[in-house]
Amino acid sequence: MPLTGLKVLDLTRVLSGPFCTALLADMGADVIKVEAPEGDSLRGQGAIKAGISWYFAQFNRNKRSIRLDLRKPEAKPILARLIAQSDVLVENFRPGVLARMGFDESRLNALRPSLVICSINGFGSTGPYKDRPAFDFIAQAMSGFMSVNGGPHDPPMRSGLPISDLVAGLYAALSIAATVPHARETGQGQRAEVSLTNGLVSLLAYIATNYFATGTAPPRSGNDHPIAAPYGLFATRDGQIALAPADDVFFRRLADALDEPGLKTDPLYATQSARVANRAQINAIVGGKLASGTTSHWVDVLNNAGVPCGPVNSVVEVFQDPQIRAQDMIIDIDHPNHGSVRMLGFPIKLSATPCRVRRFAPGLGEHSDEILAELGFASSERQAWRQSGVI
């Protein structure tokens, strides 16, 4: 596997950090998850089945768990040795927390000069908001992301997914993949930092570029595309179809598929800018045609014509879709203590070194003794720490 041999110390909890380290673990990294005595709060969230949170199982597969009470002074030497033997440290504390625990930049560098430190936080470690707490909903609100979701007359709308956590986790994993080679080549580590809010700001794409160019913030456009038409959801005889002819080439294909060849040369619709200016009219024409047939009919006709389109699937329908199944985006893992656990598959498909599930999501502190033995701590020390509640 591509990251076999990479040792990752995971000091994160909930979602953004565990998602990052799960991506690394899926690719072969040895991820040691350090958990407080009460465990990651995700262990008690989401649907609990046969004694395990499937939410936790999804984002913590392929990891090992050590239970460690970092509030106790006796835990500090253990953490120091974990750091000294790791290639990467991932944390999602608020800025400064790790330093107040006694592990500032100079201490980390002394313990492991080649250490890559990846910090995930709400707003970044500089600026007036650096000490504020933040969760996904706050990042969605403050990044501008929420302001562009919803219809023109609707209030701002959040994403149904914890999008800022997931984006931050992706960026964190990418930053680690980018910095580890440098650390291995030079022996010098560095800090990588991503924040929930910056991650969503970076996704503003054409919304941001249009604002930079015009100085005007776009109105919410619902399922219409701000700079393309016809584009969005259209009613069919028995449901809805998502339609995305994103440029003139695709629009001409759409016109032919709808048996409306005149639309291709009509000055009201022949160019993208003209169609955007006359959005209501072109939407009405396209909508009238699509309403005459079923969703499945138009999905077949339009895809055969090379027009991007698809049905609006429910979550149930997604996991019944033959394409999703063919891509192995559903996997079932037989857990020795919790029965069969179903989870999402791997979105990254590697031909020579594919991702795979090597370990079940760990029980709290399941690997504490194993990890401490690897670090060289004697059995008597481990027993004493267990009795005092350090591990």
Side-chain angles (χ1 to χ4, degrees), residues 179-223:
T179 52
V180 163
H182 175 267
R184 286 178 168 172
E185 290 169 9
T186 66
Q188 292 184 317
Q190 62 180 297
R191 178 177 289 278
E193 180 179 88
V194 299
S195 80
L196 276 62
T197 307
N198 288 348
L200 287 192
V201 170
S202 78
L203 298 189
L204 290 177
Y206 53 79
I207 298 291
T209 57
N210 280 13
Y211 164 69
F212 293 152
T214 66
T216 302
R220 286 185 290 281
S221 56
N223 288 316

Side-chain angles (χ1 to χ4, degrees), residues 276-290:
V276 170
N278 297 284
R279 184 190 302 275
Q281 298 96 309
I282 190 60
N283 280 0
I285 294 169
V286 172
K289 282 286 188 176
L290 295 175

Side-chain angles (χ1 to χ4, degrees), residues 313-354:
N313 287 335
S314 69
V315 173
V316 172
E317 291 166 330
V318 167
F319 295 116
Q320 295 172 343
D321 191 299
Q323 180 65 27
I324 300 303
R325 289 184 172 273
Q327 285 287 301
D328 296 320
M329 286 307 297
I330 310 165
I331 54 178
D332 293 297
I333 304 300
D334 291 323
H335 196 293
N337 301 319
H338 302 287
S340 180
V341 178
R342 176 164 288 186
M343 59 184 65
L344 295 172
F346 306 105
I348 297 173
K349 311 296 186 185
L350 303 176
S351 61
T353 55

Side-chain angles (χ1 to χ4, degrees), residues 13-254:
R13 65 272 188 222
V14 189
L15 187 53
S16 59
F19 181 41
C20 163
T21 54
L23 292 170
L24 302 176
D26 285 349
M27 294 188 186
D30 178 17
V31 175
I32 294 177
K33 182 179 180 69
V34 176
E35 297 190 68
E38 62 274 15
D40 190 326
S41 61
L42 219 59
R43 289 184 178 275
Q45 295 183 17
I48 309 293
K49 188 172 181 179
I52 188 172
S53 162
W54 284 26
Y55 189 12
F56 179 84
Q58 171 71 55
F59 290 99
N60 290 281
R61 64 192 181 193
N62 287 327
K63 303 177 186 179
R64 297 193 287 167
S65 170
I66 178 172
R67 183 177 178 271
L68 191 60
D69 190 348
L70 295 176
R71 294 163 295 195
K72 294 181 181 291
E74 301 95 318
K76 301 301 173 64
I78 301 173
L79 181 58
R81 197 171 296 188
L82 281 166
I83 292 169
Q85 296 191 22
S86 297
D87 301 305
V88 178
L89 184 156
V90 188
E91 55 94 3
N92 61 353
F93 302 121
R94 276 195 269 177
V97 169
L98 198 58
R100 289 195 292 274
M101 291 167 54
F103 295 91
D104 59 13
E105 294 285 339
S106 61
R107 177 84 189 282
L108 293 172
N109 185 63
L111 287 169
R112 180 78 167 182
S114 62
L115 185 69
V116 169
I117 308 152
C118 182
S119 299
I120 306 171
N121 50 50
F123 299 100
S125 58
T126 60
Y129 304 155
K130 65 182 178 65
D131 293 322
R132 289 187 181 182
F135 287 101
D136 170 70
F137 189 68
I138 307 306
Q140 288 199 40
M142 295 185 66
S143 65
F145 184 89
M146 196 182 294
S147 75
V148 300
N149 293 328
H153 305 295
D154 296 333
M157 182 67 65
R158 68 180 284 269
S159 163
L161 304 173
I163 189 70
S164 71
D165 283 314
L166 298 172
V167 169
L170 283 167
Y171 276 147
L174 177 61
S175 71
I176 290 166
T179 52
V180 163
H182 175 267
R184 286 178 168 172
E185 290 169 9
T186 66
Q188 292 184 317
Q190 62 180 297
R191 178 177 289 278
E193 180 179 88
V194 299
S195 80
L196 276 62
T197 307
N198 288 348
L200 287 192
V201 170
S202 78
L203 298 189
L204 290 177
Y206 53 79
I207 298 291
T209 57
N210 280 13
Y211 164 69
F212 293 152
T214 66
T216 302
R220 286 185 290 281
S221 56
N223 288 316
D224 288 327
H225 195 297
I227 59 174
Y231 193 113
L233 293 186
F234 291 85
T236 63
R237 186 191 300 165
D238 62 351
Q240 290 183 310
I241 186 171
L243 187 66
D247 60 26
D248 293 340
V249 171
F250 288 116
F251 177 73
R252 289 193 287 270
R253 293 177 186 173
L254 173 66

Side-chain angles (χ1 to χ4, degrees), residues 298-311:
W298 285 119
V299 166
D300 289 341
V301 168
L302 295 177
N303 273 294
N304 288 336
V307 178
C309 70

